[in-house]
């Protein structure tokens, strides 16, 4: 199931980096983007998670995001998230780069998380940048929120398609990819840029590249190791085995 090389590289590693996608949260009950439930109320998510939909289809846009906010409020991290926390005991530096906006890595206890695409539970005013949650406000999940300061349309603090990512977070993610000794790509269809380029940066800088997914992706042929299976099962197996090897 796992190669000796993986554990050898982990044994000598001082810094490992994880890139996670919707697949790591699937076992927590969060629908993935492109899986069978990738369509939402027969809307194409890819058309909905856009600035155009926010402007021109505001009520459906907010219906979609409020539905996801309700979903994310009740869910818990799974064994895959907790395994990444365990790695923090075993390797001196662990960076988690996530495309997910559900906050589950922080909820599980990971301490170095880069949220490439933002966080769905945070909001901001599209006009003046006012941050309701930071101001102690709790938005109701059943209506379209407007800014108390300028009456502008409030939006979830996520990166929509065709929007730029936060350049500092992206730079930190590229750095963590370029400087780690082992890079895990977990539960992502490896389609969305610029996240999908991070594993190639890691590999080009000499990292051992591992992919964990229930099916192959465009990254799989370039990975040093493709491990087929659910991340909630595979990741704890790796940490338990690695801990045994370290104790020898
Ligand atoms: C940008 C926040 C510059 C919102 C998201 C043509 C070619 C290439 C690129 C482009 C192109 N045209 C446009 C682009 C750029 C575009 C892009 O990449 N498009 C692709 C899709 C064609 N990227 C952007 O727009 C980015 N910005 O480039 O800015 C720019 C500026 C102006 C104009 C142009 C460019 C912004 C991207 C960020 C978009 N926001 N999310 C929200 O979440 O509501 S991305 C969204 O997709 C989610 O964050 C999600 O995480 C992400 C990626 O999807 P995955 O995480 O991979 O999830 P998916 O469902 O696809 O796959 C799940 C995987 O898990 C599967 O492989 C499955 O097998 C596996 N799995 C399932 N269960 C398990 C499992 N694995 C393990 N265990 C399990 N149990
Ligand atoms: Zn405002």
């Amino acid at each position: 199931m796992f190669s000796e090389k993986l554990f050898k590289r982990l044994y000598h590693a001082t810094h490992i980096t994880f890139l996670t996608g919707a697949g790591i949260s699937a076992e927590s009950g969060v629908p993935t983007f492109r899986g069978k439930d990738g369509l939402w109320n027969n809307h194409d998510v890819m058309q909905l998670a856009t600035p155009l939909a926010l402007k021109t289809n505001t009520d459906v846009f907010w219906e979609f995001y409020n539905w996801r906010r309700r979903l994310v409020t009740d869910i818990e991290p799974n064994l895959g998230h907790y395994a990444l926390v365990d790695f923090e005991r075993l390797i001196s530096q662990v960076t988690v780069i996530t495309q997910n906006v559900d906050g589950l890595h922080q909820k599980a206890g990971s301490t170095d998380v880069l949220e490439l695409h933002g966080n769905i539970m945070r909001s901001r005013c599209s006009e003046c940048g006012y941050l309701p949650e930071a101001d102690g406000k709790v938005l109701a999940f059943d209506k379209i929120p407007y800014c108390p300061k300028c009456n502008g349309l409030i939006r979830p603090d996520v990166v929509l398609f065709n929007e730029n990512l936060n350049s500092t977070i992206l730079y930190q993610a590229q750095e963590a990819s370029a400087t780690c000794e082992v890079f895990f790509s977990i539960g992502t269809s490896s389609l969305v840029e610029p996240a999908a380029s991070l594993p190639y940066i890691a590999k080009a800088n000499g990292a051992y590249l591992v992919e964990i997914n229930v099916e192959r992706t465009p990254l799989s042929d370039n990975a040093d190791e493709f491990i087929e299976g659910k991340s909630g099962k595979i990741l704890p197996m790796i940490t338990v085995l690695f801990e045994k090897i370290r104790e020898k």
Side-chain angles (χ1 to χ4, degrees):
M1 183 127 199
F2 313 116
S3 74
E4 210 182 297
K5 190 150 186 221
L6 167 60
F7 291 107
K8 229 188 218 142
R9 294 297 295 263
L10 283 174
Y11 190 82
H12 296 291
T14 55
H15 179 198
I16 63 172
T17 295
F18 294 94
L19 170 67
T20 65
I24 199 168
S25 295
E27 291 158 84
S28 294
V30 185
T32 59
F33 266 70
R34 290 168 193 81
K36 56 181 181 356
D37 45 18
L39 284 177
W40 175 78
N41 285 2
N42 60 41
H43 288 281
D44 175 3
V45 172
M46 303 290 283
Q47 299 307 321
L48 259 185
T50 63
L52 185 67
L54 171 64
K55 267 209 172 60
T56 59
N57 210 356
T58 311
D59 47 356
V60 177
F61 176 95
W62 261 113
E63 208 188 311
F64 171 55
Y65 277 93
N66 276 327
W67 170 71
R68 286 180 58 206
R69 280 184 162 183
R70 275 193 287 272
L71 202 70
V72 164
T73 313
D74 309 334
I75 52 159
E76 289 300 320
N78 62 60
L79 291 177
H81 297 101
Y82 289 117
L84 269 48
V85 182
D86 280 346
F87 265 112
E88 294 192 15
R89 279 187 300 109
L90 304 168
I91 308 261
S92 41
Q93 190 185 358
V94 176
T95 307
V96 176
I97 304 167
T98 189
Q99 300 172 87
N100 301 337
V101 294
D102 56 30
L104 285 179
H105 286 299
Q106 295 93 319
K107 202 167 182 181
S110 284
T111 55
D112 182 6
V113 181
L114 296 170
E115 291 183 311
L116 275 189
H117 298 156
N119 185 307
I120 199 168
M121 298 313 277
R122 262 196 330 261
S123 321
R124 67 178 153 83
C125 172
S126 321
E127 306 299 329
C128 72
Y130 170 69
L131 300 169
E133 288 80 15
D135 196 22
K137 297 273 181 308
V138 177
L139 298 182
F141 286 170
D142 56 1
K143 50 180 188 290
I144 299 173
Y146 286 93
C147 177
K149 308 258 178 223
C150 74
N151 206 31
L153 179 60
I154 286 190
R155 55 170 285 171
D157 193 15
V158 296
V159 179
L160 298 172
F161 283 101
N162 291 337
E163 284 190 324
N164 284 314
L165 282 67
N166 172 301
S167 47
T168 312
I169 293 176
L170 180 57
Y171 175 75
Q172 289 168 340
Q174 289 163 337
E175 263 300 283
S177 305
T179 53
C180 65
E181 288 111 325
V182 183
F183 186 101
F184 288 86
S185 175
I186 301 171
T188 176
S189 54
S190 311
L191 293 172
V192 174
E193 293 295 353
S197 302
L198 295 173
Y200 297 94
I201 294 175
K203 192 154 168 68
N205 284 276
Y208 189 72
L209 179 56
V210 186
E211 181 179 33
I212 299 172
N213 201 310
V214 293
E215 60 188 14
R216 295 185 73 84
T217 74
L219 176 68
S220 307
D221 291 344
N222 302 285
D224 294 304
E225 192 157 345
F226 174 76
I227 306 171
E228 183 169 350
K230 292 189 170 188
S231 46
K233 181 169 158 272
I234 301 287
L235 284 166
M237 287 167 74
I238 294 176
T239 50
V240 165
L241 273 170
F242 181 50
E243 197 146 18
K244 285 206 177 85
I245 292 167
R246 277 171 88 251
E247 278 154 13
K248 274 190 193 142

